[in-house]
Amino acid sequence: GVADAQFKRFTNGAGSFTCYIIPEVFPIANDLINRVQSVVDEVASYGIYGEVKTSTAIPVDMNIQLIFANQTTNAERQTIRQQAVAKVERYVKNLGMGEAIIINEVIQQVMETSSKITDMQIYNLTVKDVNQYVKNVYPKAEEQYFLRRISMT
């Protein structure tokens, strides 16, 4: 389904707009685009051109190493890792179209998971299958990041 839609005016000149569909999950089904396009066609005024597109899904992979307090048991470490993964997944999923991944925000999400995490390191960040320096990454206006893989050790 559709989680959200964003509209950009004048994408094909005066009297036009583009509706970018933000899917609940990637990839988006083609029939969904067609259904949204037919709704747009029904409600757009005569002489107005409305086009429906999807945001471009950009895959992101991360490898993160956690450093735990010495007294942390293996079972606690596993639970904390799962919770930290879920927080990073939620952060990236909640980014809107054109919104950057802010590394300090990723770090904060992980570190707030448990006081038993004493430190962490993001040792690999891959965007669109290209290794990046670990820094904020900025998409184009019509792109949206999704977390394809995350490894937390």
Side-chain angles (χ1 to χ4, degrees):
V2 176
D4 195 8
Q6 294 184 5
F7 292 85
K8 305 278 185 198
R9 299 180 337 170
F10 313 123
T11 51
N12 291 301
S16 68
F17 66 91
T18 299
C19 170
Y20 289 96
I21 297 173
I22 311 298
E24 290 176 341
V25 293
F26 289 99
I28 191 168
N30 283 334
D31 71 319
L32 185 58
I33 296 169
N34 295 336
R35 286 185 285 150
V36 173
Q37 182 68 59
S38 47
V39 169
V40 166
D41 291 343
E42 285 179 25
V43 297
S45 299
Y46 183 74
I48 300 292
Y49 174 71
E51 180 180 30
V52 176
K53 293 183 175 182
T54 61
S55 57
T56 304
I58 305 297
V60 174
D61 303 321
M62 286 186 200
N63 295 326
I64 300 173
Q65 179 183 21
L66 301 182
I67 296 152
F68 292 97
N70 290 334
Q71 73 276 15
T72 311
T73 67
N74 286 336
E76 289 173 322
R77 290 173 191 233
Q78 189 60 30
T79 300
I80 292 168
R81 280 187 190 103
Q82 291 170 348
Q83 292 169 344
V85 164
K87 288 183 81 168
V88 174
E89 287 174 337
R90 187 170 35 257
Y91 166 69
V92 175
K93 183 177 182 178
N94 287 332
L95 291 173
M97 189 173 73
E99 290 185 19
I101 293 176
I102 306 299
I103 294 302
N104 279 344
E105 186 63 33
V106 173
I107 292 169
Q108 183 175 348
Q109 294 295 319
V110 172
M111 294 302 292
E112 287 180 349
T113 302
S114 172
S115 61
K116 294 187 179 198
I117 300 172
T118 59
D119 201 0
M120 65 166 283
Q121 176 185 2
I122 302 172
Y123 61 92
N124 185 36
L125 175 64
T126 305
V127 177
K128 253 192 203 174
D129 298 316
V130 176
N131 285 333
Q132 304 285 320
Y133 290 111
V134 178
K135 61 180 180 55
N136 298 344
V137 287
Y138 299 89
K140 294 179 183 173
E142 68 281 353
E143 295 178 333
Q144 183 171 14
Y145 292 126
F146 76 95
L147 196 57
R148 179 174 54 189
R149 277 189 295 270
I150 183 168
S151 167
M152 201 157 307
T153 57

